[in-house]
Amino acid sequence: MRLTTYTDYALRTLMHLAVNRDRLVTIQDIANLHSISKNHLTKVVHQLGQIGLVTTVRGRNGGLKLGLEPADINIGNVVRQTETDFHMAECFHPENNRCVYASACLLEDALGAATAAYLCVLDGVTLDNLVIKKSGIPGVGISGHPVTFLSNRQKLNP
């Protein structure tokens, strides 16, 4: 499974907002941090706002903040709402399926089960699980609650 760039940017945005809950963050801040297009990120943030995950504050001192508590933002739901589809092979597109093996092939079932398992794992993860609080270690985040991102080597314990 590979996430689209759109979903990747959505997750990065949410993680950045979770780490910086003590202040408003601008789209430009996030775009600069990740060296990504501000215009593309604006579209992502717009959708995150429409689904209630991000709140925007307009004006000179405006910016973005999380619309929900990090523990209430389910990563599986975010991925479902930001990915266009989960069609991993031609056989997932019945109207365009030209595969000569389609009538007897079980690949669609196997890939469908793999996708369901992938989403099941993400359903057990919240935004809060993706950032961990470390006491006594300086970091970015709410005063008194330094935060860092979970390493890909650390096991998630939702």
Side-chain angles (χ1 to χ4, degrees):
M1 255 342 293
R2 184 179 186 122
L3 297 175
T4 60
T5 301
Y6 190 93
T7 299
D8 179 28
Y9 289 0
L11 293 171
R12 289 186 202 198
T13 297
L14 292 171
M15 291 172 74
H16 189 76
L17 295 176
V19 169
N20 292 282
R21 300 214 42 223
D22 58 333
R23 67 183 182 91
L24 293 175
V25 176
T26 67
I27 292 173
Q28 190 67 58
D29 292 338
I30 300 168
N32 290 345
L33 178 67
H34 296 290
S35 300
I36 58 180
S37 163
K38 179 184 174 189
N39 290 335
H40 190 61
L41 189 58
T42 299
K43 294 173 190 174
V44 172
V45 168
H46 178 72
Q47 182 185 2
L48 293 174
Q50 286 183 319
I51 59 179
L53 299 178
V54 170
T55 301
T56 58
V57 177
R58 292 180 175 250
R60 184 172 180 209
N61 295 315
L64 311 170
K65 63 181 181 177
L66 287 178
L68 298 170
E69 291 297 315
D72 296 329
I73 298 177
N74 180 278
I75 300 304
N77 288 337
V78 173
V79 169
R80 282 183 186 85
Q81 292 181 14
T82 56
E83 285 292 311
T84 54
D85 64 55
F86 293 97
H87 298 162
M88 295 177 61
E90 183 180 315
C91 51
F92 282 85
H93 300 278
E95 64 280 352
N96 296 326
N97 190 353
R98 294 185 181 86
C99 179
V100 296
Y101 303 114
S103 62
C105 181
L106 298 177
L107 181 61
E108 181 180 6
D109 293 339
L111 292 176
T115 300
Y118 169 78
L119 291 170
C120 183
V121 169
L122 294 178
D123 286 340
V125 179
T126 66
L127 183 58
D128 199 44
N129 297 132
L130 298 181
V131 294
I132 54 176
K133 294 146 192 80
K134 292 185 176 183
S135 59
I137 300 173
V140 181
I142 298 173
S143 300
H145 299 286
V147 178
T148 188
F149 289 107
L150 194 62
S151 152
N152 63 354
R153 292 186 178 99
Q154 293 171 301
K155 185 177 179 183
L156 287 176
N157 292 316

